[in-house]
Amino acid sequence: MNSRLSVTTSWAALAAVLVVLPSLSATAADRPDVTVAVNELARALDPGERTGNVDVRVYYSIFDTLIRRDFAHPTADGGAKLVPGLAESWSWTTPTTFDVKLRQGVKCHDGSPFNANDVLATFSPDRLWGEKPYYPDGRVYFGNLTGVDKLDDFTVRFTVAQHDPIMAHRLSSYMSFVICDEPWNAFKKDGVAAKVWMDEAAKALRWKPVGTGPYKFSEYQRNDRIKLVAFDEYYEGAPAAKSITFRSVPEVAARVAGLVAGDFDIAVEIPPDQWESLKKYNDIVLKTEPLENSHVLQFNTNDPVLADKKLRHAMSLAIDRKALIDALWKGETYAPNGHQLPSFGAMYVKDNPGYDYNPELAKKLVAESGYKGQEISYRLIPNYYLYNVEAAQIIQEMWRAVGINARIDFVESFNEVRKPGAQVFAWSNTYRVPDPTGSILALWGPDTENQTGWKFYGASEAFNTAARELQAESDEAKRKAIFARLLTAFQDDMPMTMLYNPVTGYAMKKTINWTPYSQYYMDFRPSNFSIAAK
Amino acid sequence: MLGRHYLTKIVRGLLTIWIIVTFTFIALNLSGDPVDALVGDQASPEVIAHYREKFGLDRPLWQQYLAYLGSIAQGDFGLSLSDQQPAVSLIAAALPHTLRLGLLAFSVGLLLGIGLGIVAALNRNRPIDRFVMSFAVLGFSLPNFFLGILLILLFSLHWRLLPSSGDATIWHLILPAVTLGTHFAGTFARFTRSAMLEVLNKQYVVAARAKGVPRPRRVLWHALPNAAIPIITIIGLKLGDLVAGSIIVETVFAVPGVGRLLVNAVTSRDFALVQAILIMVSITMILANLAVDVIYTLIDPRMRAARAES
């Protein structure tokens, strides 16, 4: 490089730093406090105990995962893209060992440095994946683990019983939020059973969480607020807001009114019937996002009436999903083509036909089936899912039009939904990990409750064979071919039919630059959240 | 004698609390499994069993009941199933919010209701009476959630004059206090009017008028104290009803009080919390009734004498 140019560049850089530094420190001091109006507060800030939508939206700012899904920038084929989180890099060193290199210089909210011990505390067998772990949900995600070992302070080895092609995705999902070792293990006592001391630790930390995320916990008042304050030592840089307060405002009208009046900066769970009215406010923006969750109708294939596959196919063919989406969701969502999402990436079977609407064929199948006009019970918990009552009433009419007689039965809980006599019921399926093993196989596979416990799904040999092959296969091309077969068998078995993916709406001040994701996480990291000057 | 009268009342009160605890226990258990409400729609039976064991819900019902009675006798009302906080401390944190809103709304209702009731009685069958009574009927029959949302739409959304949720400042309290106060005012106005009409034609009021006692003195000094018994009865009932009455208003205006805590606890079948709140509400009701009883004897010598005799 020309030396004169180099000197000039150096002076220019120094001048830029001198100009920018004071303004940056001023920005840090003058950062606003942000208030988010939520329908309900988190029930606990313990990522092992609670994974509900009301919980994850808050603790996503407190905890990090080793690997992070970059929701805002999917891969070229629309798949879920993974980026470094607390891990710098990761790779399979053998078919059953997955090594993770940790990021250095990261700090926990209590000031302790982040290292392999925090990962070991998070992924300990007693906590997540052993025979009877403290958090039973852990086995759903990490039941395949056989060991987690520290190779050095910044390298951890995950050993699995069987090669897991989506291990990296698992480490970016629910149950993989990393807790800090010191506050958790402070409760460990020699000779005391893990379940006992972990119970004490969980109780103490439920409302005093210690993570590495961009915001740290400050205060909680039930039914009122959870306040987080900026953690300026966050490894991605100082967060944009001085604090984020999640305020509990159960009424939609009050959330909207508070936003309009300037009391709140963001209001969540704005249903479609409010979207039009928000358009008249110039200082407010509405952002909607279809979720990675599907509302489905489950059929009990072992019920004497519904055992006839033709009838189940007729019921599915009679549903006009576009009409439902237009009427209930203002056309802002879609019905997935099968039990899959574009975020499956390379595994997504684009040309899978999914669930058709064909009332004429439905009528024909009803006539061919053994159905004699018996009343079919359609169970649902009113308003458990947004618009589930309205959807049920519309679907009841669609079925009536093809000669199927359904009765809507309102019940109180899923225990009652699944009680003897269940025929058709409303359910939702979450794509916990963007891959068939984290969704369709986790909910409908050969070892699931649907097949072995509740016994609602008498699966065909074709489905169960494909499911077992898919679990054992690691070659991407072969996995995709097996998945296509599995989807075809599943649609032919028809233990459920797809309705649509619900949409969630966020209204916010125009000055807020924040993008919602297709999961309920609210990401307030510097890469997804900034506040413009008024 | 008077002491025995109150002792009987206290024993009856304790009996009422025991009946309420038992009834609530049975009703909540009949309404379903709280773990169902706690876990999501995709929870496996293994996860459900884990929580049932953790919360002691896998034990026989009678064991749970006896254990619960034993705990309350020692002042332990248990932990909320939802967020694992002690039920008593949750109530203690929420109570000031309810009292602040409730007492403000109650004062508004009391002043407005009694004032309007007197005005209506003094102007019986005149347009002003009809106007006041229409307001009273509207006040107590208009559902709180409807009036509340109407006020939010007008004062917060349309005119942007007042905040719509929370209770951080006095400005935040205006809309919820007006919503709740309107209901109280309607009730008090009706009772005051009918109680006043009853005494305004009594001989001692007519005699006072004949003696030339000025109207304000006649109304406030001769009529109102004699009309006070039914008014105090309804005030006592409504005072005891403060928590229960604020349930809807606290939910609509996002006030973190006891009413909202109860709604939340019922929806999530949070047994320990629902029971603790209901015990608190029953104690409030019993104390309010006791206070009304004491006031009766203070303001009405006939009652004092009757109770002393009995």
Side-chain angles (χ1 to χ4, degrees), chain B:
Chain B
M1 282 295 151
L2 216 52
R4 195 172 164 179
H5 170 77
Y6 289 119
L7 192 68
T8 315
K9 289 245 162 199
I10 290 166
V11 172
R12 266 189 213 159
L14 289 174
L15 195 69
T16 311
I17 291 173
W18 173 72
I19 291 170
I20 288 168
V21 168
T22 309
F23 178 77
T24 316
F25 185 86
I26 296 168
L28 284 175
N29 273 287
L30 285 178
S31 76
D33 190 339
V35 173
D36 252 354
L38 203 69
V39 297
D41 59 341
Q42 289 161 36
S44 67
E46 191 190 354
V47 171
I48 293 172
H50 166 86
Y51 282 110
R52 287 184 58 76
E53 187 193 333
K54 187 174 172 176
F55 299 138
L57 297 166
D58 55 341
R59 290 178 298 168
L61 213 56
W62 64 269
Q63 276 185 20
Q64 290 181 46
Y65 175 67
L66 289 183
Y68 182 67
L69 281 188
S71 304
I72 340 181
Q74 292 167 47
D76 176 9
F77 287 82
L79 295 179
S80 153
L81 294 185
S82 175
D83 65 1
Q84 296 290 293
Q85 305 252 316
V88 170
S89 59
L90 287 172
I91 297 173
L95 198 57
H97 297 274
T98 298
L99 290 180
R100 201 160 49 217
L101 167 63
L103 293 177
L104 183 65
F106 203 76
S107 312
V108 169
L110 207 61
L111 288 175
L112 203 66
I114 292 182
L116 289 176
I118 294 172
V119 170
L122 294 176
N123 296 282
R124 191 182 182 182
N125 292 335
R126 292 194 193 141
I128 192 164
D129 178 28
R130 292 202 183 97
F131 176 77
V132 168
M133 281 305 99
S134 305
F135 165 79
V137 170
L138 205 67
F140 76 77
S141 58
L142 208 60
N144 278 346
F145 70 87
F146 177 76
L147 181 62
I149 289 177
L150 195 70
L151 293 179
I152 287 178
L153 290 176
L154 289 176
F155 289 89
S156 302
L157 207 60
H158 191 65
W159 293 317
R160 299 191 184 196
L161 287 175
L162 290 166
S164 60
S165 62
D167 62 348
T169 64
I170 188 74
W171 299 106
H172 288 82
L173 282 173
I174 293 178
L175 293 185
V178 168
T179 308
L180 198 54
T182 306
H183 176 77
F184 286 137
T187 314
F188 294 148
R190 271 171 49 97
F191 273 86
T192 307
R193 179 183 178 271
S194 52
M196 284 294 284
L197 283 178
E198 210 167 293
V199 295
L200 279 175
N201 293 325
K202 294 274 183 194
Q203 281 187 349
Y204 51 85
V205 180
V206 177
R209 190 178 174 189
K211 282 201 290 188
V213 177
R215 196 181 191 199
R217 188 175 163 80
R218 230 164 48 224
V219 170
L220 296 176
W221 198 254
H222 294 267
L224 192 58
N226 286 295
I229 294 284
I231 300 173
I232 285 169
T233 309
I234 194 70
I235 289 174
L237 279 176
K238 286 283 164 192
L239 200 59
D241 198 25
L242 215 56
V243 170
S246 62
I247 287 175
I248 306 289
V249 174
E250 285 183 356
T251 304
V252 169
F253 291 98
V255 175
V258 181
R260 219 173 119 210
L261 198 63
L262 180 62
V263 173
N264 222 259
V266 170
T267 344
S268 55
R269 297 203 190 99
D270 199 336
F271 283 11
L273 195 52
V274 174
Q275 279 161 334
I277 295 174
L278 289 185
I279 291 170
M280 190 207 77
V281 172
S282 358
I283 292 173
T284 321
M285 283 285 201
I286 290 163
L287 288 180
N289 282 336
L290 206 62
V292 167
D293 210 51
V294 172
I295 294 170
Y296 280 170
T297 51
L298 287 179
I299 63 170
D300 192 340
R302 290 167 301 178
M303 282 202 184
R304 199 160 45 231
R307 271 168 199 172
E309 269 173 34
S310 70

Side-chain angles (χ1 to χ4, degrees), chain A residues 173-423:
Chain A
S173 183
Y174 296 98
M175 304 304 288
S176 62
F177 290 92
V178 176
I179 58 164
C180 289
D181 141 73
E182 286 179 24
W184 176 257
N185 279 331
F187 291 87
K188 196 173 183 174
K189 289 175 202 125
D190 287 338
V192 177
K195 220 167 191 170
V196 176
W197 72 259
M198 283 189 181
D199 205 36
E200 281 177 36
K203 257 183 207 157
L205 298 172
R206 181 175 285 119
W207 294 110
K208 224 177 171 183
V210 182
T212 57
Y215 291 88
K216 53 185 181 181
F217 174 76
S218 169
E219 60 172 304
Y220 163 65
Q221 194 187 333
R222 178 147 164 171
N223 285 339
D224 187 29
R225 64 185 180 274
I226 293 173
K227 186 176 179 186
L228 311 179
V229 293
F231 179 53
D232 287 337
E233 289 167 273
Y234 186 56
Y235 69 84
E236 265 191 18
K242 191 159 72 183
S243 71
I244 296 185
T245 302
F246 293 88
R247 278 279 317 278
S248 170
V249 187
E251 277 298 318
V252 179
R255 288 203 292 281
V256 170
L259 182 69
V260 172
D263 297 343
F264 311 134
D265 300 282
I266 304 177
V268 312
E269 298 278 351
I270 306 297
D273 56 17
Q274 298 284 322
W275 295 350
E276 198 55 40
S277 64
L278 278 169
K279 284 183 185 164
K280 66 181 177 199
Y281 301 104
N282 295 327
D283 50 350
I284 285 170
V285 179
L286 175 79
K287 292 183 180 175
T288 61
E289 185 70 33
L291 294 165
E292 292 195 343
N293 169 278
S294 295
H295 286 188
V296 305
L297 276 190
Q298 179 158 359
F299 303 123
N300 179 1
T301 64
N302 292 319
D303 174 76
V305 178
L306 292 170
D308 189 329
K309 197 159 77 179
K310 283 185 177 170
L311 178 62
R312 302 199 300 273
H313 275 263
M315 293 175 93
S316 177
L317 286 163
I319 299 172
D320 184 351
R321 291 163 189 80
K322 189 179 178 311
L324 280 172
I325 289 168
D326 287 345
L328 303 176
W329 303 97
K330 313 272 181 210
E332 290 290 319
T333 189
Y334 63 99
N337 60 330
H339 203 291
Q340 59 166 353
L341 294 177
S343 63
F344 283 18
M347 287 296 285
Y348 180 59
V349 186
K350 205 172 176 181
D351 55 1
N352 181 54
Y355 298 85
D356 281 344
Y357 167 58
N358 188 339
E360 291 314 310
L361 182 57
K363 275 183 201 165
K364 188 170 164 271
L365 288 176
V366 170
E368 288 173 9
S369 73
Y371 179 61
K372 301 275 184 288
Q374 301 97 314
E375 206 172 41
I376 294 171
S377 161
Y378 179 162
R379 287 183 188 166
L380 69 140
I381 307 170
N383 304 316
Y384 187 90
Y385 307 119
L386 188 59
Y387 298 141
N388 69 348
V389 175
E390 292 84 345
Q393 288 164 342
I394 297 170
I395 291 167
Q396 189 184 32
E397 288 309 309
M398 289 172 176
W399 283 343
R400 197 189 307 279
V402 298
I404 297 166
N405 184 17
R407 179 189 70 242
I408 297 173
D409 292 325
F410 293 124
V411 291
E412 287 273 328
S413 65
F414 269 92
N415 195 20
E416 288 175 47
V417 163
R418 296 183 175 117
K419 272 190 174 162
Q423 292 183 297

